[in-house]
Amino acid sequence: MGELAVETVQLTKKYSGIAAVKDLNLKVPQGKIYGFLGPNGAGKTTTLRLITGLLKADAGKVFVQGKPMPESRLDVLAKTGALIEKPAHYEHLTARENLDIARRLYHVADTAAVDRALKAVGLEEAAGKKVKTFSLGMAQRLGIAYTLLHQPELLIYDEPTNGLDPVWIHKIRTLLKDWCTKYGTTIIISSHLLSEIGQLADEIGVISEGRLCYQGTVPGLIGKTECVIGIVTDDQIAAADLIRKEGVVIQWDDDNTLFVTGTPSRLQAVKKALKDKGIHILNETGKDSVDSLEEAYLSLMNNEASVS
Ligand code: ATP
């Protein structure tokens, strides 16, 4: 595995003695889009604040581009663009003036960087308007513009599509994908919009109650999500015997249907084994694989709720 853009090791943060983030080991690969998911209060914002050095951990470590945080904060933040929670603007100044202040803070000499950032988020025409007149979506897009000014190596977004309409959600998705491909930028993006993350992310990390429940690719999560199919065969007794031998969970119902629970690959293996034995499936209900990140995520959260 190549060098990680961000790594957390046993990261723990407590508020008033209660852990919001617990023993978290995130591994964000270099130059990829990493979707950071979890229910309300799971600890996503807290984690992003720890990664950017806005909060100090109670235990564990954070490394950004191999550098320890928060000790390397100045160095790391100079190469990071982050939008965590609501963007803060000078409301009485124009969009261009706001961005120009940020440009100078980032020590970007090229004044054209402001126009490029305005263009990227479609605010060229509104550049001369005071930010207090902006809609929620426009203010959010201006927040995204700040993060792009200095062509950072790492972009961190907490709910970046807040207040954006569907057209702008799509445009921002395209922008982030292009940025990642063109400049090799690593992007961490926390969102509740699972279809967005499904289309954007190369890898995802899912947390619940401050703990990691999954880290890997979206197909990887779909592949480990158990599904249930109901089958009726021409020899239910022989089918049940064979399925049990495959080590897959089965149940009968009153209608003589066999319900089989397993991951997509296990269910495929069961069907192949039945076929190889000459047992024919006469009727099949349910799905042997989930189709979307949303379904896989809901199943993961359901399992988390049943074990906690
Ligand atoms: P959401 O999806 O709702 O934005 P989140 O995953 O970003 O949630 P956090 O904001 O990190 O979750 O909160 C994690 C937990 O820490 C929650 O229980 C929250 O109430 C608590 N928490 C967050 N900030 C503070 C704070 N400043 N003081 C005390 N508790 C806090």
Side-chain angles (χ1 to χ4, degrees):
M1 192 197 272
E3 196 197 332
L4 295 169
V6 174
E7 182 176 20
T8 72
V9 183
Q10 298 295 107
L11 189 64
T12 299
K13 174 72 191 171
K14 293 176 185 169
Y15 295 113
S16 313
I18 299 166
V21 170
K22 184 96 179 93
D23 298 331
L24 196 60
N25 295 315
L26 295 186
K27 291 181 191 300
V28 180
Q30 204 71 253
K32 303 273 185 210
I33 301 182
Y34 184 95
F36 194 33
L37 310 176
N40 288 139
K44 300 178 299 296
T45 303
T46 301
T47 305
L48 298 181
R49 291 171 74 88
L50 288 164
I51 291 172
T52 46
L54 291 169
L55 274 179
K56 204 169 172 302
D58 290 302
K61 293 189 164 66
V62 176
F63 298 97
V64 179
Q65 312 290 7
K67 298 187 183 108
M69 292 293 277
E71 297 86 329
S72 311
R73 192 167 167 225
L74 286 182
D75 196 14
V76 163
L77 290 190
K79 295 172 191 153
T80 302
L83 180 57
I84 298 176
E85 295 171 308
K86 242 182 87 181
H89 309 298
Y90 295 108
E91 298 278 318
H92 59 292
L93 298 182
T94 67
R96 184 187 298 284
E97 286 164 341
N98 267 280
L99 280 173
D100 204 50
I101 292 169
R103 177 188 67 80
R104 282 181 268 165
L105 285 174
Y106 280 129
H107 303 291
V108 177
D110 182 9
T111 52
V114 168
D115 287 306
R116 280 196 299 271
L118 284 165
K119 187 160 183 267
V121 299
L123 287 177
E124 311 99 303
E125 310 235 313
K129 285 192 180 158
K130 289 193 174 161
V131 172
K132 67 179 175 197
T133 69
F134 275 21
S135 69
L136 179 63
M138 286 164 83
Q140 187 69 9
R141 275 148 56 196
L142 182 58
I144 294 172
Y146 291 134
T147 65
L148 306 174
L149 273 173
H150 54 308
Q151 296 216 345
E153 292 171 5
L154 173 65
L155 284 168
I156 299 179
Y157 296 114
D158 193 7
E159 292 286 343
T161 46
N162 250 349
L164 297 189
D165 64 42
V167 170
W168 269 102
I169 290 178
H170 172 78
K171 284 188 180 175
I172 294 297
R173 186 201 315 145
T174 309
L175 172 76
L176 297 185
K177 274 191 174 174
D178 285 353
W179 207 272
C180 181
T181 316
K182 227 194 255 173
Y183 305 114
T185 315
T186 305
I187 305 176
I188 302 178
I189 172 165
S190 154
S191 177
H192 294 294
L193 296 182
L194 296 176
S195 67
E196 268 310 297
I197 295 296
Q199 293 176 74
L200 251 183
D202 301 299
E203 299 229 351
I204 56 169
V206 185
I207 64 168
S208 175
E209 296 182 2
R211 292 172 189 269
L212 191 66
C213 356
Y214 176 78
Q215 185 162 235
T217 61
V218 172
L221 180 60
I222 287 175
K224 74 189 274 292
T225 302
E226 292 201 323
C227 301
V228 186
I229 53 170
I231 53 173
V232 178
T233 67
D234 53 4
D235 187 345
Q236 291 290 74
I237 303 286
D241 269 357
L242 196 134
I243 294 166
R244 266 194 213 101
K245 279 192 201 126
E246 288 283 321
V248 182
V249 182
I250 55 166
Q251 270 180 315
W252 293 88
D253 80 349
D254 298 343
D255 292 336
N256 200 30
T257 300
L258 267 173
F259 287 93
V260 189
T261 303
T263 59
S265 60
R266 296 296 291 155
L267 295 178
Q268 286 304 330
V270 162
K271 286 197 231 175
K272 183 173 181 306
L274 290 172
K275 194 171 171 213
D276 290 349
K277 275 272 177 199
I279 302 169
H280 299 103
I281 296 176
L282 306 175
N283 188 39
E284 181 178 330
T285 51
K287 289 200 306 188
D288 58 12
S289 169
V290 297
D291 311 317
S292 64
L293 171 59
E294 182 178 36
E295 281 180 88
Y297 173 88
L298 292 176
S299 167
L300 182 66
M301 286 303 124
N302 208 9
N303 290 344
E304 285 295 313
S306 59
V307 291
S308 64

